[in-house]
Amino acid sequence: MAVRAIRGATQLEVDEREHLLERTRELVTQVLEANRLDRDALISIIFTLTADLRSEFPALAARELGLGDVPLLCTVEVDVPGALPRVVRLMAHAELDVPRSQVQHVYLRGAEVLRRDLAQ
């Protein structure tokens, strides 16, 4: 079984705690569904947030989905002038028995512009 990295991102309208948690739950759920993953296949998830998001840790949303035993990490994205604002990104590491080219990356709610080549 190979270890694969799965990318994803979503954009928020506002920096409000419940909105951030809702969008992050949606992103994590769609990444899991698109790649037919269950919790046991996950190795870890790294979340990044743009500097304009400070209302909550996105890892809380993953824990609320039952991923409390998966190592989770949150960090701040590089603050590049002109970058897309209010974005939560993730990189999930998982055991997947598919070629790298078949990994399904998920970009939602305006974040598709970040990686049109990877967006589902």
Side-chain angles (χ1 to χ4, degrees):
M1 182 84 52
V3 174
R4 300 290 182 216
I6 307 163
R7 294 291 316 269
T10 190
Q11 187 177 33
L12 284 65
E13 278 86 37
V14 293
D15 182 25
E16 293 177 356
R17 183 178 187 272
E18 288 307 315
H19 183 58
L20 185 144
L21 292 172
E22 175 185 319
R23 288 286 171 89
T24 305
R25 285 190 298 265
E26 175 187 42
L27 177 61
V28 171
T29 298
Q30 288 201 25
V31 164
L32 295 176
E33 288 175 358
N35 289 283
R36 297 184 181 106
L37 285 173
D38 63 19
R39 187 177 86 212
D40 291 333
L42 285 172
I43 296 168
S44 65
I45 303 175
I46 300 169
F47 294 95
T48 68
L49 300 93
T50 50
D52 51 6
L53 295 177
R54 298 186 306 248
S55 61
E56 187 55 85
F57 295 101
L60 176 59
R63 285 194 295 275
E64 290 175 348
L65 291 172
L67 302 179
D69 62 344
V70 175
L72 307 169
L73 177 68
C74 299
T75 188
V76 178
E77 190 73 31
V78 176
D79 192 13
V80 175
L84 193 64
R86 299 176 315 279
V87 175
V88 175
R89 292 173 172 87
L90 71 72
M91 183 182 304
H93 301 94
E95 294 177 336
L96 275 175
D97 198 20
V98 299
R100 187 175 295 152
S101 62
Q102 292 181 13
V103 172
Q104 298 298 306
H105 306 283
V106 177
Y107 290 80
L108 306 172
R109 302 189 178 271
E112 297 88 351
V113 301
L114 295 172
R115 290 297 303 264
R116 292 186 194 275
D117 60 320
L118 295 180
Q120 179 188 36

